[in-house]
Amino acid sequence: MNKKFINLALVAALGFSTYVAPMTAFASTDEAIQTSTEKLVDLEKKEASAESQLATIAATITDNENNATSLIAEMKETQTSLKELEIEVSDLTTAIEQREAKLQDQVRSVQVDGDNQNYIDFVLNAESIADIIGRADVVSQIVSANQELIKAQATDKEAVAVKQKETEKKAEKQTLLAAKLEASKTDLEQQKLEKEAVVASIAAEKSIVTNEKEKFLAVKAAAEKGAEELALVKTTSSVENTSSATVELTSSETKASDASELTAKPVETTKAATTATSPSNGSWAAIKNAAYGVLGTPYLYGGTTTSGFDCSGFTSYAFAAAGISLPRTAGAQYAASTKISQSEAQPGDLVFFNQTGSIDHVGIYLGNNQFIGSQSSKGVSVTTISQAYWAQYLVGFGRIN
């Protein structure tokens, strides 16, 4: 009886001493799990807020695209009007030239034949009174016709001036519409990318905290298992099980030690290495050939192919021919370029304009104050920087290294 009591006391003593380590591990591990849980709750709130903001931006982008559809339809109508105006101006110009030639012929006739005297001789050579009246009527009609011709000439010249002014206003309106779309597209894309970066950052942080929590839960599970084994040992009263209980205690100590090491071991996180790839240096010849190869291609909002280009889509297309990748919008291309002065600008550099309060138009500098770009009214064409319209909105030049 005394032997059995001694064995039980020994087992109880051993059980108590080894049970302290798991209890300590429980306390620190539970605290770490609670901290991780709180972090996850906070991160989930931030993630929900960021995703809500991102959804709002996405909805705004959709609205903007719908507005763009409406504006594009208006731009097409404007382009049609421009073409009709050009035809009207061309027809008026032809009519003016024809009348001008006719008037010049009459002037020469007057100089050779003596004008009024010629008309008088024509009337006096009549053979009868009736003939005189007839010839006088003819002279009157000729004079009246000349007056009508001169009057029509003046009217058409005035109409040409009005039509040309109307054409210029339509073209400027077209250009401003394209600029507004480009500026809006740049701003919304920037907001979207910024929010996507925030969401990605929160997701990455959540992943790290989740991994930490899972490791702490694994530590807790191991410690709990060890505690259960110790509890079994403490309740064992059979002398025959004393030896095996001691072995189990040793095993439990090892596991508790392993659990403590897991608890103490810092959580390692792996950061993905990022490498920046520099765009290859393309030649001006390749860019120039690509740019001139699509001359006359119509303007198309959001266009990046030979079916139609917007301003930044055109520059991206031309530079891609030289192996150079440009950002998608005019504003982003401005940000990515090295700013240079006009005196430093060379063919192949980019030229930027601001019509709406931010960078909203871009073209490729050709030298001699000229640039090639996708214009809303003419499509891909060559334009002079010093032209009255573009000169007032010129921001500067950028070089893509």
Side-chain angles (χ1 to χ4, degrees), residues 126-134:
E127 296 179 355
S128 63
I129 296 297
D131 192 15
I132 289 174
I133 294 172

Side-chain angles (χ1 to χ4, degrees), residues 181-191 329-332 359-360:
L181 289 173
E182 182 69 21
S184 177
K185 179 175 64 178
T186 300
D187 183 53
L188 288 172
E189 183 175 334
Q190 180 183 359
Q191 291 181 40
T329 65
I359 302 299
D360 50 36

Side-chain angles (χ1 to χ4, degrees), residues 74-394:
E74 186 177 342
M75 289 167 68
K76 287 182 178 178
E77 290 178 5
T78 304
Q79 288 174 342
T80 301
S81 298
L82 286 172
K83 290 179 181 178
E84 291 174 352
L85 283 171
E86 288 174 359
I87 293 171
E88 288 181 32
V89 169
S90 176
D91 291 344
L92 286 172
T93 302
T94 301
I96 288 170
E97 289 173 352
Q98 290 174 347
R99 291 197 198 96
E100 195 72 35
K102 190 172 182 180
L103 287 170
Q104 289 295 333
D105 288 342
Q106 290 186 1
V107 168
R108 283 193 294 270
S109 176
V110 169
Q111 290 174 344
V112 173
D113 299 331
D115 190 28
N116 294 337
Q117 186 62 43
N118 189 40
Y119 290 150
I120 292 170
D121 290 342
F122 173 71
V123 173
L124 293 177
N125 288 331
E127 296 179 355
S128 63
I129 296 297
D131 192 15
I132 289 174
I133 294 172
R135 293 192 180 200
D137 186 51
V138 169
V139 169
S140 176
Q141 290 179 10
I142 291 173
V143 172
S144 177
N146 285 342
Q147 290 176 345
E148 290 297 324
L149 194 63
I150 293 170
K151 183 179 178 181
Q153 188 78 335
T155 300
D156 281 356
K157 284 184 177 180
E158 184 179 348
V160 166
V162 171
K163 293 291 184 183
Q164 286 176 335
K165 191 68 177 178
E166 187 179 348
T167 301
E168 290 172 2
K169 287 183 177 180
K170 287 269 188 181
E172 288 182 6
K173 180 182 177 182
Q174 187 92 328
T175 302
L176 285 174
L177 282 175
K180 287 177 182 178
L181 289 173
E182 182 69 21
S184 177
K185 179 175 64 178
T186 300
D187 183 53
L188 288 172
E189 183 175 334
Q190 180 183 359
Q191 291 181 40
K192 181 172 177 287
L193 290 174
E194 287 173 353
K195 285 302 172 189
E196 285 178 346
V198 171
V199 172
S201 176
I202 293 173
E205 193 173 352
K206 272 184 64 181
S207 175
I208 293 171
V209 175
T210 300
N211 288 338
E212 288 178 350
K213 183 176 179 179
E214 288 175 353
K215 288 181 180 180
F216 286 130
L217 287 171
V219 169
K220 183 179 180 180
E224 286 175 342
K225 184 177 180 182
E228 288 174 0
E229 291 175 350
L230 285 175
L232 287 173
V233 171
K234 287 180 67 179
T235 57
T236 303
S237 59
S238 173
V239 175
E240 290 78 13
N241 290 338
T242 301
S243 176
S244 61
T246 303
V247 173
E248 287 180 4
L249 284 171
T250 304
S251 173
S252 299
E253 287 176 345
T254 302
K255 290 176 181 178
S257 175
D258 290 343
S260 298
E261 288 179 5
L262 282 171
T263 305
K265 186 177 181 181
V267 178
E268 296 180 357
T269 58
T270 304
K271 294 183 179 180
T274 57
T275 56
T277 57
S278 300
S280 58
N281 293 324
S283 68
W284 163 229
I287 296 172
K288 183 178 180 181
N289 288 339
Y292 275 92
V294 292
L295 268 176
T297 300
Y299 178 89
L300 177 64
Y301 174 73
T304 59
T305 68
T306 52
S307 297
F309 295 104
D310 60 15
C311 63
S312 52
F314 166 72
T315 52
S316 296
Y317 170 85
F319 273 71
I324 301 174
S325 178
L326 293 183
R328 179 60 190 88
T329 65
Q333 290 178 14
Y334 180 76
S337 66
T338 300
K339 310 308 176 291
I340 56 176
S341 65
Q342 186 165 358
S343 60
E344 295 172 318
Q346 298 176 0
D349 289 329
L350 296 175
V351 57
F352 298 95
F353 301 88
N354 174 356
Q355 304 161 88
T356 59
S358 60
I359 302 299
D360 50 36
H361 192 64
V362 61
I364 302 172
Y365 187 56
L366 300 174
N368 297 324
N369 243 12
Q370 292 185 318
F371 75 98
I372 184 170
S374 183
Q375 319 298 349
S376 58
S377 58
K378 297 181 180 179
V380 177
S381 58
V382 175
T383 310
T384 303
I385 294 172
S386 57
Q387 178 192 0
Y389 181 82
W390 290 116
Q392 62 183 327
Y393 297 119
L394 176 65

